[in-house]
Amino acid sequence: MIKKIETPYYLIDEKKLLKNLKKIEYVKNFSGTKSVLALKCFSTWSVFDLMSKYMDGTTSSSLYEAKLGYEQFGKETHAFSVAYSPKDIKALKKISDKIIFNSVFQLKMFYKEVEHIDVGLRINPGISYSHFDLADPTRKYSRLGVISIKDIESILDKVNGVMFHYNCENDDFKTFSKMLDKIALKYGEILHKVKWVSLGGGIYFTKDGYPIDKFCEKLKSFSEKYCVQVYLEPGEAAITKSCELVTTVLDIVKNIKDIAIVDASIEAHMLDLLIYRTPAKIDLDTGKHNYIVTGRSCLAGDVFGQYQFKKKLKIGSIIRFADAAGYTMVKKNWFNGIQMPSIVVKRLNGKVEIIKQFLYDDFLSNLS
Ligand SMILES: Cc1ncc(COP(=O)(O)O)c(C=O)c1O
């Protein structure tokens, strides 16, 4: 049945998604930690009915994301923005359960309008785990969060929660744990004065082999020591390995190596990988037929990666890129006017639904 769907398409498999969601539920049951989905990573709301059974709500980076979380996911709606406009605040105060400010100036400016809801402040703890400077929240001159303890203490009477986002693709429990200890040591007095603490996203606790019980113990003891409700903001950890980008080979050319060109584009459909210069993943890439697989945009570096296929590729061969849920659909774009991949969901009962197809009219209406 899936074979009949025209490529390119993103295929979200709810059974695979459920594997992550059950781990998120496990963490809640054994540590009391709530998880809110980071919509910046994944906003494909057709699977929110399933996700909202296991997660506690959403967190956002903008008014539109917050609105989407409020309307389509429900439960708790957390708002964060690097900088709010007065118009954002007017709308957000009606739909948010928690509103987290990035600076003391913004918090003071908007406090009167939002004092009836939970107000939080983002802190830059000065330590982080990231493989990429681009994504390192505490990089030199970072604008993400308040650094000065004096500044934080000056507005503590106005906030009842704090947020630290200091991990990025961190699958190493030991470094997570050590950094949390350092944060506890540095901000202990502040932590005793708030009711909730968000530890942000970027922790790969749903990965196979992650010591999830130790993770739960750590979160639980942190929460008990400071009498706080702990939140996590998983994006990638919630949806990892639940989606493929399915493409078809349109042409094979040669320039020293064999180059297969597919009917999609890394720049338009998996942009994050291009930004971070990491190849797309293909499962079962273990044969002896070597190809560079590229996109069909005019960008010279529109390259998915180099792979070893079991069978020789031919025109019409299907290539499925793995792990295609996070930071893909939210960043897809109409560069070169290339056919945008449809969004397809394989439901828990095995039924395959095409939930969104993009047509010329969508391209047309994207600009004017
Ligand atoms: C504040 C905040 N929370 C959560 C996330 C989600 O991170 P991830 O998708 O790596 O879990 C991010 C990612 O940049 C973030 O900036």
Side-chain angles (χ1 to χ4, degrees):
M1 184 171 177
I2 298 173
K3 274 187 194 150
K4 283 187 202 140
I5 299 169
E6 239 179 78
T7 62
Y9 59 93
Y10 298 101
L11 174 66
I12 304 168
D13 187 331
E14 285 194 333
K15 249 193 202 164
K16 294 180 185 167
L17 190 56
L18 189 61
K19 235 182 116 188
N20 300 325
L21 297 172
K22 291 229 161 126
K23 289 187 185 171
I24 289 173
E25 184 185 47
Y26 184 91
V27 168
K28 182 171 177 183
N29 289 344
F30 289 96
S31 73
T33 303
K34 293 184 177 181
S35 281
V36 286
L37 174 67
L39 294 172
K40 73 188 75 187
C41 171
F42 183 81
S43 288
T44 310
W45 45 273
S46 294
V47 291
F48 282 3
D49 274 356
L50 174 67
M51 298 185 88
S52 64
K53 288 191 185 117
Y54 297 87
M55 300 184 74
D56 291 285
T58 54
T59 188
S60 55
S61 332
S62 65
L63 170 60
Y64 287 174
E65 277 191 359
K67 212 164 169 277
L68 182 81
Y70 178 76
E71 288 175 2
Q72 302 295 335
F73 200 104
K75 300 178 115 175
E76 292 187 37
T77 302
H78 295 199
F80 170 75
S81 173
V82 171
Y84 296 104
S85 71
K87 207 170 135 200
D88 293 340
I89 294 289
K90 267 197 181 60
L92 284 169
K93 69 183 183 186
K94 295 186 197 136
I95 60 171
S96 309
D97 297 286
K98 292 189 177 12
I99 185 152
I100 302 166
F101 288 91
N102 186 58
S103 77
V104 168
F105 178 81
Q106 281 233 320
L107 192 152
K108 282 185 181 162
M109 181 159 70
F110 294 121
Y111 181 67
K112 275 274 159 261
E113 283 194 69
V114 298
E115 61 182 329
H116 60 287
I117 53 179
D118 284 349
V119 173
L121 183 70
R122 177 168 180 170
I123 296 177
N124 173 344
I127 49 168
S128 58
Y129 180 103
S130 176
H131 303 285
F132 303 99
D133 181 58
L134 185 65
D136 183 349
T138 69
R139 78 209 281 252
K140 200 172 178 191
Y141 309 125
S142 172
R143 70 204 186 295
L144 303 170
V146 180
I147 295 172
S148 152
I149 293 195
K150 221 169 125 204
D151 286 352
I152 300 165
E153 282 173 344
S154 75
I155 44 81
L156 261 192
D157 58 324
K158 294 185 172 55
V159 307
N160 59 13
V162 288
M163 188 259 268
F164 302 91
H165 171 71
Y166 58 103
N167 290 285
C168 179
E169 299 192 3
N170 187 355
D171 58 2
D172 178 14
F173 170 72
K174 279 192 188 140
T175 58
F176 165 76
S177 175
K178 269 191 207 152
M179 285 194 297
L180 190 60
D181 291 344
K182 281 192 183 161
I183 286 174
L185 199 65
K186 186 168 173 187
Y187 300 99
E189 280 183 38
I190 291 167
L191 295 173
H192 276 300
K193 290 182 188 148
V194 294
K195 289 193 179 132
W196 55 273
V197 176
S198 171
L199 299 177
I203 310 162
Y204 271 3
F205 63 97
T206 54
K207 194 175 173 179
D208 286 342
Y210 193 88
I212 201 158
D213 289 317
K214 283 190 187 157
F215 184 57
C216 289
E217 278 164 32
K218 187 81 196 176
L219 294 171
K220 191 165 187 277
S221 71
F222 179 87
S223 154
E224 285 171 355
K225 180 163 181 194
Y226 297 103
C227 272
V228 287
Q229 171 64 56
V230 177
Y231 286 90
L232 297 172
E233 302 180 357
E236 195 64 55
I239 48 75
T240 187
K241 295 190 173 164
S242 67
C243 179
E244 292 174 322
L245 173 62
V246 185
T247 64
T248 302
V249 175
L250 296 179
D251 198 4
I252 298 172
V253 296
K254 192 153 187 141
N255 180 357
I256 305 171
K257 295 188 173 186
D258 289 318
I259 303 163
I261 303 170
V262 298
D263 58 355
S265 155
I266 194 155
E267 170 150 55
H269 310 138
M270 293 186 114
L271 182 60
D272 225 36
L273 297 179
L274 190 65
I275 294 173
Y276 291 102
R277 305 214 173 263
T278 40
K281 293 177 205 148
I282 291 184
D283 291 336
L284 307 171
D285 157 29
T286 52
K288 60 177 182 23
H289 300 285
N290 193 12
Y291 291 86
I292 296 175
V293 178
T294 74
R296 63 159 154 163
S297 83
C298 63
L299 180 78
D302 191 344
V303 175
F304 284 93
Q306 190 164 323
Y307 310 95
Q308 322 285 331
F309 291 92
K310 279 201 179 109
K311 283 189 189 159
K312 257 189 140 179
L313 292 181
K314 51 184 198 284
I315 310 304
S317 293
I318 297 287
I319 297 184
R320 313 171 84 91
F321 297 101
D323 221 357
Y327 302 96
T328 52
M329 285 169 265
V330 290
K331 288 193 173 192
K332 63 188 168 44
N333 62 70
W334 280 111
F335 182 58
N336 272 206
I338 295 172
Q339 176 63 52
M340 193 166 272
S342 307
I343 299 177
V344 179
V345 177
K346 189 171 181 197
R347 298 290 180 195
L348 284 181
N349 64 9
K351 204 172 151 224
V352 176
E353 285 175 31
I354 301 173
I355 57 168
K356 180 87 184 163
Q357 277 175 307
F358 300 91
L359 303 170
Y360 171 71
D361 278 352
D362 297 300
F363 173 57
L364 186 72
S365 63
N366 192 47
L367 288 171
S368 64

